[in-house]
C-alpha cells in the first residue's frame, strides 16, 4: 500500500476534512503506510508513539494495561493522539484484530497541524481547560462581559407615533407601568420619551398637555444592536447618564434595555437570592426565591463559569434555604432541647448540585438523646425542614434517605455503629448506604458531633482492605455509555430514547471512583474534584489518572449544565438526558473521549483490586 491515496481518503474523514486539499496532499508526502496482520501488536503499553495512526482498512483493538478490551476501532478511526498530546508514551496496547492497513502521520507533521489549525487541535485535545474559560464566581460586571444585550433587553417595546399628545403618552405609560415610550415613523425609530422628559419638558416647563411628543422627545437616541455585550450597554448608559437604551437591528427596532433590566440581571445571583431567602418566613415565599435558581444557573453557564464553581454556587443557595428552614423550625417548635447537626449527602453534600435534585439529609443528635423525651420534637423538626425543601422543589428522596426517617435521625453512638457495621460487613446494602453516607457534609448545628466520628470512620475504612475492595466493586457498577464500536450506547426505548444519561452514566462513575480513592487515602473532602486532587497529591491515584478523570468530569459536567441551561432558556424542565445527535461532531468526539477516560480508570482500579469489569 502506498500513501498516494491518503489525501483522498482523509478528505472524507473528520477532522481531516477541516483541512484544505493542498495541505492534505503535502501531509501525504510525509505520511507512512503500514500493513499489519491479525494479532500483530502495533503499539505496546509505554511504547514511544511516533505518530498519529489512521485506520485505512481493517480493525484494531485497544487493550488496557490490565488486559481488558477498551475500544474496537474501525475504518477512519485514529489512535495515538493521547500519547502525543501528553508524555509521548502509549497508555494502552493497540492490536490488529484483523489484517489492517494504516496511515501513520509523523509526530512533527501532527504538531504542525495542531499548531496551524485550532479546530483540528480541538478535535484531538479533550482537556476542558483548553476549551472553557477560566472559572471563578461571576459578579455582575463579569457576567455582563459575556452576555449579549439581546439576552437582557425587553423585546417588542411599546411605540407611538410622533403626533401622539403628551396626555395620551402619559396615560399609556401609566396603564402599562412603563417608564419610556419609543417614537417611530414608518417603522423607523426617530426618538425616545421617558417619564423624566414628561416631568421636565411638560410639567416643569408649563407646556400644554396637548403638545405632540415630537416636540418633547429626545430625537435620534443612541442605540446598540442585540449582539453587543451587556457590558457595552452598561458603559454607554453610564457615560451618557441614560436610563434607557433602544436596541436596533438592521434598522429595525427590536427591544429596549433599561436600568431595570440590568438591576434584575444582577439580582438573580447567589448573594441576592441568599439575602432574600433569609427574609422569608413561609414555604410559598421561600419557593418563589428558589424558583429563580434555574435562571441563575443558565446565566452562570452563559457567562462561562466552570461547572465546579456553578455546582458550589447553586449548592450555596440550597444550603442557605436549609439553614433558613431550620431557623423557622426552631421559631415554630421552640429551641431544640439538645445539640444537633443537620447534614446533607448526595449532590448537596458534595456541593455539586445542578438544575435537577432531590433531597438527601440526616440528623446527628447529642449523646444525651432520649427517644421518650426528644423523639417527638425531632420528628416534627425534620418533617418541617424536609417539607420546606420539597415545597421549594427539592423533592423527597425516593430511597427515603432523609432525616424524617427515624433511622437517619440518631445520636452519635448509633451513627458510629452504623459506619462500623458497614465497614465490618460490607454486603450490597451496606455498600449502597456507605456510598451515600460517605458524602455527608454539615449544614447547620453542632459540627463537633460529626468531625471526630467521620475521621475515625475514614481511618477504619482505610485499614479494612476487604471493605474498600467491596466499595471499589460497587463503584464499577455504573459504566460509561460506550458501545463496542466506539459509538454511544444510547437508551433504546421510553421517554428518553436515543439519549445518554449524563448523570447516571457520566458523572456518577467519576463520583464513585473519587469516593473510592478518598476512602483509600482517608480524605475528608466530599467534593468529587477535591477528592481527586487530594488523592493525586497523596499518591492514591497517579497524576495522569487523576488529571484524566478531572478533565472527563469537567467536560461531562459542563455538557450536562449546558444541556440544562438550554432547556431552561426554552422554558422546559431541566433533566440529565442528552441526545448526542444534537451535538456537533467535535462535541461528540470529546464526549466519547471523556467516557473512554472513565472506562480506562475503571479498568485500572478494578485490576488493581482484582475486580473484573
Amino acid at each position: 500500500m502506498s500513501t498516494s491515496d491518503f489525501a483522498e481518503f482523509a478528505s472524507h474523514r473528520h477532522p481531516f476534512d477541516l483541512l484544505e486539499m493542498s495541505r492534505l496532499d503535502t501531509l501525504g508526502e510525509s505520511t507512512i503506510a503500514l500493513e499489519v496482520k491479525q494479532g500483530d501488536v502495533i503499539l505496546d503499553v509505554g511504547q514511544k508513539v511516533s505518530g498519529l495512526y489512521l485506520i485505512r482498512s481493517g480493525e484494531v483493538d485497544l487493550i488496557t494495561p490490565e488486559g481488558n478490551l477498551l475500544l474496537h476501532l474501525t475504518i477512519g478511526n485514529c489512535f495515538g493522539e493521547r500519547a502525543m498530546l501528553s508524555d509521548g508514551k502509549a497508555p494502552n496496547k493497540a492490536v490488529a484484530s484483523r489484517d489492517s492497513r494504516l496511515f501513520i502521520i509523523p509526530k512533527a507533521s501532527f504538531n504542525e497541524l495542531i499548531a496551524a489549525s485550532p479546530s483540528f487541535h480541538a478535535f484531538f485535545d479533550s482537556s476542558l481547560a483548553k476549551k472553557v474559560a477560566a472559572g471563578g464566581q461571576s459578579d455582575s460586571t463579569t457576567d455582563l462581559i459575556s452576555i449579549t444585550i439581546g439576552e437582557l433587553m425587553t423585546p417588542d417595546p411599546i411605540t407611538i407615533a410622533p403626533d401622539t399628545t403628551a396626555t395620551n403618552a402619559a396615560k399609556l405609560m401609566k396603564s402599562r407601568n412603563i417608564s419610556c415610550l419609543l417614537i417611530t415613523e414608518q417603522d423607523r425609530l426617530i426618538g425616545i420619551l421617558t417619564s423624566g422628559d414628561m416631568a421636565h419638558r411638560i410639567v416643569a416647563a408649563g407646556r400644554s398637555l396637548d403638545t405632540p411628543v415630537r416636540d418633547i422627545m429626545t430625537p435620534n437616541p443612541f442605540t446598540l444592536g442585540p449582539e453587543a455585550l451587556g457590558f457595552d450597554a452598561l458603559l454607554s448608559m453610564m457615560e451618557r447618564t441614560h436610563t434607557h437604551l433602544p436596541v436596533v437591528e438592521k434598522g429595525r427596532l427590536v427591544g429596549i434595555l433599561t436600568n431595570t433590566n440590568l438591576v434584575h440581571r444582577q439580582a438573580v445571583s447567589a448573594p441576592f437570592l441568599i439575602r432574600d431567602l433569609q427574609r422569608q418566613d413561609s414555604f410559598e415565599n421561600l419557593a418563589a426565591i428558589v424558583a429563580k435558581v434555574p435562571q441563575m444557573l443558565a446565566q452562570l453557564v452563559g457567562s462561562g463559569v466552570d461547572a465546579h464553581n456553578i455546582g458550589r454556587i447553586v449548592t450555596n443557595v440550597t444550603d442557605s434555604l436549609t439553614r433558613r428552614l431550620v431557623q423557622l423550625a426552631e421559631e415554630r417548635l421552640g429551641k431544640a432541647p439538645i445539640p444537633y447537626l443537620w447534614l446533607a449527602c448526595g449532590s448537596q453534600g458534595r456541593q455539586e448540585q445542578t438544575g435537577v435534585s432531590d433531597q438527601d439529609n440526616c440528623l446527628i443528635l447529642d449523646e444525651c438523646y432520649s427517644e421518650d423525651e426528644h423523639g417527638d420534637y425531632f420528628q416534627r423538626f425534620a418533617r418541617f425542614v424536609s417539607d420546606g425543601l420539597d415545597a421549594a422543589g427539592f423533592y423527597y428522596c425516593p430511597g427515603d434517605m432523609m432525616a424524617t426517617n427515624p433511622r437517619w435521625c440518631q445520636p452519635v453512638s448509633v451513627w458510629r455503629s452504623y459506619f462500623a457495621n458497614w465497614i465490618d460487613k460490607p454486603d450490597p446494602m451496606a455498600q449502597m448506604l456507605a456510598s451515600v453516607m460517605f458524602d455527608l457534609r454539615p449544614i447547620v448545628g453542632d459540627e463537633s458531633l460529626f468531625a471526630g466520628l467521620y475521621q475515625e470512620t475514614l481511618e477504619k475504612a482505610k485499614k479494612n482492605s476487604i471493605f474498600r475492595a467491596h466499595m471499589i466493586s460497587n463503584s464499577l457498577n455504573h459504566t460509561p455509555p460506550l458501545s463496542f464500536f466506539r459509538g454511544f450506547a444510547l437508551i433504546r426505548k421510553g421517554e428518553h430514547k436515543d439519549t445518554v444519561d449524563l448523570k447516571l452514566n457520566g458523572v456518577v462513575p467519576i463520583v464513585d471512583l473519587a469516593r473510592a480513592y478518598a476512602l483509600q487515602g482517608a480524605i475528608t473532602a466530599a467534593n468529587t474534584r477535591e477528592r481527586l486532587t487530594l488523592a493525586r497529591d497523596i499518591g492514591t491515584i497517579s497524576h495522569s489518572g487523576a488529571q484524566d478523570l478531572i478533565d472527563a468530569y469537567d467536560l461531562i459536567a459542563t455538557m450536562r449544565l449546558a444541556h440544562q441551561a438550554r432547556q431552561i432558556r426554552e422554558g422546559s424542565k431541566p433533566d440529565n438526558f442528552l441526545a448526542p445527535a444534537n451535538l456537533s461532531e467535535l462535541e461528540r468526539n470529546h464526549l466519547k473521549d471523556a467516557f473512554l477516560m472513565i472506562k480506562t480508570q475503571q479498568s485500572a482500579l478494578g485490576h488493581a483490586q482484582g475486580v473484573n469489569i
Side-chain angles (χ1 to χ4, degrees), residues 291-314:
K292 299 177 182 178
V293 169
Q295 182 184 349
M296 180 188 74
L297 183 147
Q299 291 176 2
L300 291 170
V301 172
S303 300
V305 179
D306 65 75
H308 175 63
N309 280 320
I310 290 177
R312 286 184 173 277
I313 293 168
V314 173

Side-chain angles (χ1 to χ4, degrees), residues 479-483 487-492 495-507 556 559-560 563 567 575-583 587-588 591-592 595:
T479 57
L482 283 177
S483 68
F488 292 108
L490 303 176
I491 297 172
R492 291 303 180 190
E495 178 185 358
H496 304 297
K497 185 177 182 292
D498 295 331
T499 67
V500 293
D501 187 338
L502 290 182
K503 178 184 177 182
L504 187 63
N505 298 114
V507 171
I556 295 168
M559 283 194 170
R560 179 188 182 198
H563 166 69
Q567 291 177 309
D575 61 32
N576 298 301
F577 299 95
L578 176 71
N582 294 334
L583 299 175
E587 292 170 323
R588 287 196 296 271
L591 186 57
K592 289 176 188 176
F595 290 151

Side-chain angles (χ1 to χ4, degrees), residues 14-198:
H14 200 66
F16 299 96
D17 58 356
L18 299 171
L19 307 175
E20 295 179 358
M21 200 66 186
S22 59
R23 184 179 287 274
L24 289 176
D25 287 331
T26 302
L27 184 61
E29 295 174 3
S30 63
T31 296
I32 301 166
L34 176 67
E35 296 191 16
V36 293
K37 298 293 184 182
Q38 181 177 347
D40 285 354
V41 176
I42 304 165
L43 290 173
D44 210 343
V45 176
Q47 179 180 334
K48 273 288 187 181
V49 179
S50 60
L52 177 72
Y53 289 76
L54 172 63
I55 302 176
R56 175 66 178 86
S57 66
E59 299 171 5
V60 175
D61 288 338
L62 293 187
I63 310 296
T64 69
E66 300 76 35
N68 297 315
L69 176 64
L70 185 62
L71 279 179
H72 182 77
L73 305 178
T74 57
I75 296 173
N77 289 152
C78 296
F79 60 96
E81 71 277 5
R82 285 185 62 197
M84 289 190 293
L85 290 170
S86 55
D87 60 2
K89 297 178 181 179
N92 302 294
K93 180 186 291 187
V95 179
S97 54
R98 290 181 55 188
D99 292 353
S100 304
R101 295 186 295 167
L102 312 170
F103 292 121
I104 307 176
I105 300 166
K107 185 174 183 178
S109 299
F110 177 79
N111 287 339
E112 289 177 6
L113 282 176
I114 63 174
S117 174
S119 297
F120 187 86
H121 186 186
F123 177 85
F124 290 109
D125 187 0
S126 61
S127 171
L128 188 72
K130 293 181 175 65
K131 300 195 296 297
V132 180
Q137 293 190 9
S138 170
D139 60 24
S140 59
T141 302
T142 56
D143 189 28
L144 292 174
I145 287 174
S146 53
I147 192 168
T148 65
I149 292 175
E151 296 176 79
L152 291 168
M153 70 183 188
T154 299
D156 302 321
I158 297 173
T159 63
I160 57 175
D163 57 356
T164 304
T165 64
T167 296
N168 289 335
K171 289 179 179 178
L172 184 58
M173 285 187 189
K174 182 179 179 180
S175 66
R176 297 297 184 92
N177 193 30
I178 55 177
S179 57
C180 81
L181 291 167
L182 297 174
I183 293 84
T184 58
E185 191 171 45
Q186 297 179 345
D187 295 327
R188 183 175 62 87
L189 177 68
I190 63 170
I192 183 171
L193 180 70
T194 69
S195 54
D197 294 332
M198 296 284 288

Side-chain angles (χ1 to χ4, degrees), residues 48 245 255 304 339 341 350 358 390 404 566-567 574 584:
K48 273 288 187 181
L245 175 68
L341 178 63
R350 296 190 305 272
D358 60 358
D390 179 69
T404 52
R566 187 163 48 250
Q567 291 177 309
S584 69

Side-chain angles (χ1 to χ4, degrees), residues 433-449:
L433 294 173
S435 294
V436 175
M437 293 304 176
F438 271 109
D439 293 349
L440 283 173
R441 182 173 59 87
I443 303 299
V444 57
D446 185 350
E447 295 191 17
S448 68
L449 297 173

Side-chain angles (χ1 to χ4, degrees), residues 358-370:
D358 60 358
Q359 56 174 291
D360 298 283
N361 46 60
C362 66
L363 273 167
I364 297 180
L365 308 174
D366 188 83
E367 201 53 46
C368 65
Y369 172 76
S370 164

Side-chain angles (χ1 to χ4, degrees), residues 454-466:
Y454 194 56
Q455 189 61 54
E456 170 191 322
T457 301
L458 286 173
E459 292 296 337
K460 187 178 181 67
K462 181 180 179 180
K463 296 174 183 177
N464 192 316
S465 59
I466 295 176

